[in-house]
Amino acid sequence: MSNKWNEVFGMFIEMLFRFFSLLTGFGLAVSGSVSSISYLNLLSTGHNYIDYLYFLVRRPEFYLLPIGLVMMVASIYFSGPFSTKNKNDYKQL
């Protein structure tokens, strides 16, 4: 009986970690995209798209967007060791 509760507790901790990773990735992606959009004001000052992209790549805020997207995709699609077990084992708890 104790072993099953340990597995359930492990599943709970894994889901909390995945949820925290999802929220953190979402926050990073929002921060990166907002800064990328705010730098679009450079186009109104006479810069072209090449200058904008060159400036954007040199900014550290830009890299928050792909890092956040990777964190969100990883938290949604990659599962841990407790997710690969047969789910019917937990119906008897």
Side-chain angles (χ1 to χ4, degrees):
M1 186 76 165
S2 172
N3 191 18
K4 287 192 178 193
W5 284 110
N6 288 338
E7 291 178 11
V8 170
F9 182 70
M11 282 179 30
F12 178 71
I13 296 297
E14 178 185 340
M15 290 304 294
L16 280 179
F17 178 74
R18 289 176 68 185
F19 183 70
F20 179 73
S21 298
L22 179 71
L23 288 181
T24 303
F26 180 75
L28 289 175
V30 166
S31 178
S33 62
V34 165
S35 65
S36 299
I37 291 171
S38 66
Y39 288 135
L40 279 172
N41 287 328
L42 289 173
L43 296 177
S44 65
T45 61
H47 293 85
N48 57 11
Y49 286 109
I50 301 298
D51 292 337
Y52 168 70
L53 291 176
Y54 181 69
F55 176 78
L56 198 62
V57 169
R58 291 185 295 143
R59 301 299 303 171
E61 299 93 10
F62 171 72
Y63 294 103
L64 294 177
L65 177 63
I67 291 171
L69 291 175
V70 167
M71 282 183 70
M72 286 192 303
V73 167
S75 69
I76 291 172
Y77 291 112
F78 299 129
S79 60
F82 292 103
S83 298
T84 59
K85 295 185 185 267
N86 189 2
K87 301 298 183 200
N88 293 327
D89 293 342
Y90 302 108
K91 289 184 179 179
Q92 296 177 356
L93 293 179

